[in-house]
């Protein structure tokens, strides 16, 4: 999702865009679509240090956006080892390869609001980090590595602590796309119910198309600086269900059931970004509200399912 929107943005600014693409046996339409704006696909994997070194040795890049991750929090509880390897060792590989072969490159690293855990909302850049999942821990270690490399080796390397960001092409296991998909399928009489986990968790949801703008702006900033990026608003999963089903004149309570299988061993209860520095120091602001985000997701789903 983020790679797609970012490549689209960079192409609109006349960049040449290369994408590191992990080999995958299957080819399905949605996966192929995300490559639409790439000038070149480079086969590789952030867990493979040798490949990264070779890539940075052979190309002279100006900017690197490190978005590769195992990004599904629930999965990190069932497979913490690969989450750690991809998210933390992967970031270390990128940093080491840049340090040796491309020390003048500007690096953006995708950090996460999951790093805050249950610290009280709103969360800001100086809020303590108390991650509640192997995913959050892996992202925090990567964030600290980026900071450490910036300070030790004088690299232009910074992290965006991004709160949840969604879009019509969001992965189907994430709760927003799951809800939108189900509401459309129910309206089209192809599905009868939707099983979810914790409806009371609260998230600060923005649109990925807005958030890639912030990534780009961070790399144009005079000094490498970490920023918190969100909308500053927070809503529950229940609110998201209510607005989505309401779009079709349906009451979500008639279709949504709570199933313990979707509960996580530990939950992050409320995320809400303090976006003052993003507004005033970076000059970025979101253009979407939760309702326009949902409308965008519904339109796509309705026309493509
Ligand atoms: N996925 C999912 N599926 N989540 C559910 C469900 C369900 O059936 N039912 C309730 N939830 C709740 C989760 O427990 C969580 O509190 C919330 O919905 C959001 O879950 P996700 O959409 O999976 O996202 P996330 O908040 O765990 O993580 C996303 O945001 C992070 C930034 O805060 C991901 O994009 C991460 O990669 C990102 O770093």
């Amino acid at each position: 999702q983020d790679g797609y929107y970012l490549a689209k943005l960079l192409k609109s600014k006349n960049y040449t865009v290369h994408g590191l693409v992990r080999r995958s046996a299957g080819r399905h339409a949605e996966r192929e679509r995300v490559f639409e704006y790439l000038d070149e696909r480079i086969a590789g994997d952030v867990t493979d240090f040798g490949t990264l070194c070779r890539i940075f040795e052979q190309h002279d890049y100006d900017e690197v956006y490190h978005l590769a991750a195992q990004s599904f929090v629930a999965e990190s509880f069932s497979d913490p080892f690969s989450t750690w390897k991809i998210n933390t060792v992967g970031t270390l590989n990128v940093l080491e390869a840049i340090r040796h072969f491309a020390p003048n490159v500007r690096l953006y690293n995708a950090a996460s609001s999951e790093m805050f855990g249950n610290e009280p909302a709103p969360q800001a850049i100086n809020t303590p980090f108390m991650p509640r999942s192997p995913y959050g821990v892996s992202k925090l270690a990567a964030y600290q590595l980026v900071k450490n490399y910036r300070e030790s080796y004088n690299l232009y390397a910074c992290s965006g602590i991004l709160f949840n960001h969604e879009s019509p092409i969001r992965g189907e296991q994430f709760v927003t796309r799951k809800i939108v998909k189900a509401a459309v399928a129910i309206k089209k009489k192809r599905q009868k119910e939707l099983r979810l986990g914790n409806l009371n968790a609260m998230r600060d949801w923005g649109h990925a198309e807005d958030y890639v703008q912030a990534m780009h702006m961070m790399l144009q900033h005079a000094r490498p600086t970490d920023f918190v990026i969100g909308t500053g608003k927070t809503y529950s999963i229940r609110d998201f269900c209510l607005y989505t089903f309401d779009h079709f004149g349906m009451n979500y309570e008639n279709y949504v059931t709570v199933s313990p299988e979707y509960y996580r061993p530990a939950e992050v209860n409320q995320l809400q970004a303090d976006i003052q520095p993003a507004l005033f120091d970076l000059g970025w602001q979101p253009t979407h509200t939760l309702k326009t985000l949902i409308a965008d997701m519904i339109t796509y789903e309705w026309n493509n399912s």
Side-chain angles (χ1 to χ4, degrees):
Q1 168 192 276
D2 290 10
Y4 169 82
Y5 285 109
L6 180 63
K8 186 177 174 192
L9 173 74
L10 296 176
K11 285 313 293 175
S12 76
K13 296 180 184 298
N14 289 322
Y15 279 55
T16 301
V17 186
H18 289 185
L20 183 74
V21 178
R22 196 159 39 96
R23 282 169 213 84
S24 151
R27 285 197 161 209
H28 58 85
E30 202 158 74
R31 183 174 152 87
E32 285 303 304
R33 216 199 116 189
V34 303
F35 303 132
E36 191 179 330
Y37 293 100
L38 295 184
D39 292 294
E40 204 173 309
R41 294 186 205 186
I42 301 198
D45 188 318
V46 285
T47 60
D48 178 357
F49 180 58
T51 303
L52 291 177
C53 290
R54 185 175 47 74
I55 292 170
F56 286 116
E57 214 176 6
Q58 290 175 350
H59 298 87
D60 189 16
Y61 294 121
D62 298 307
E63 297 177 3
V64 172
Y65 295 86
H66 171 40
L67 311 177
Q70 190 302 94
S71 64
F72 189 33
V73 174
E75 168 80 12
S76 79
F77 287 102
S78 48
D79 193 357
F81 293 102
S82 64
T83 301
W84 183 263
K85 190 172 166 199
I86 296 164
N87 298 1
T88 313
V89 180
T91 304
L92 186 55
N93 288 340
V94 171
L95 287 165
E96 272 291 283
I98 284 177
R99 174 164 88 92
H100 289 293
F101 297 104
N104 295 321
V105 96
R106 292 191 168 204
L107 173 70
Y108 170 87
N109 172 56
S112 165
S113 53
E114 267 287 308
M115 303 187 319
F116 294 120
N118 277 339
E119 286 297 298
Q123 293 90 6
I125 198 80
N126 54 1
T127 299
F129 297 116
M130 298 290 276
R132 307 251 304 152
S133 61
Y135 169 83
V137 175
S138 73
K139 279 284 177 179
L140 178 54
Y143 172 81
Q144 298 288 12
L145 283 167
V146 170
K147 185 166 180 289
N148 180 254
Y149 271 59
R150 174 169 73 224
E151 291 166 2
S152 306
Y153 306 115
N154 205 23
L155 300 181
Y156 189 112
C158 56
S159 297
I161 304 183
L162 268 53
F163 284 60
N164 299 46
H165 44 290
E166 320 293 313
S167 75
I169 59 165
R170 179 63 145 149
E172 293 178 10
Q173 73 273 48
F174 296 97
V175 79
T176 54
R177 181 88 191 272
K178 186 174 167 183
I179 294 167
V180 169
K181 251 190 129 45
V184 167
I186 290 168
K187 187 67 187 176
K188 291 188 175 182
K189 303 215 178 310
R190 294 178 188 156
Q191 189 173 325
K192 287 205 163 59
E193 61 157 10
L194 166 62
R195 293 151 74 90
L196 293 174
N198 178 12
L199 301 183
N200 299 320
M202 301 186 76
R203 290 292 181 271
D204 177 339
W205 282 294
H207 198 301
E209 194 150 31
D210 283 339
Y211 288 38
V212 298
Q213 297 262 5
M215 297 177 188
H216 179 257
M217 290 170 88
M218 285 178 63
L219 291 198
Q220 317 314 311
H221 204 59
R223 281 184 317 282
T225 311
D226 300 330
F227 281 96
V228 158
I229 302 294
T231 68
K233 307 262 180 350
T234 185
Y235 297 92
S236 66
I237 314 301
R238 192 182 300 283
D239 294 331
F240 198 101
C241 290
L242 192 147
Y243 296 145
T244 306
F245 281 79
D246 195 49
H247 192 94
F248 297 108
M250 301 188 288
N251 180 351
Y252 82 93
E253 290 176 331
N254 297 331
Y255 306 98
V256 173
T257 55
V258 171
S259 172
E261 76 185 279
Y262 294 110
Y263 272 83
R264 296 172 181 178
E267 178 66 284
V268 168
N269 297 325
Q270 185 183 15
L271 291 174
Q272 180 183 12
D274 172 354
I275 60 168
Q276 296 304 309
L279 293 175
F280 299 111
D281 301 339
L282 189 60
W284 172 87
Q285 63 176 16
T287 65
H288 278 272
T289 62
L290 183 65
K291 289 203 172 164
T292 64
L293 167 68
I294 291 175
D296 194 26
M297 293 178 75
I298 288 176
T299 304
Y300 177 89
E301 203 67 49
W302 186 264
N303 295 332
N304 290 281
S305 67

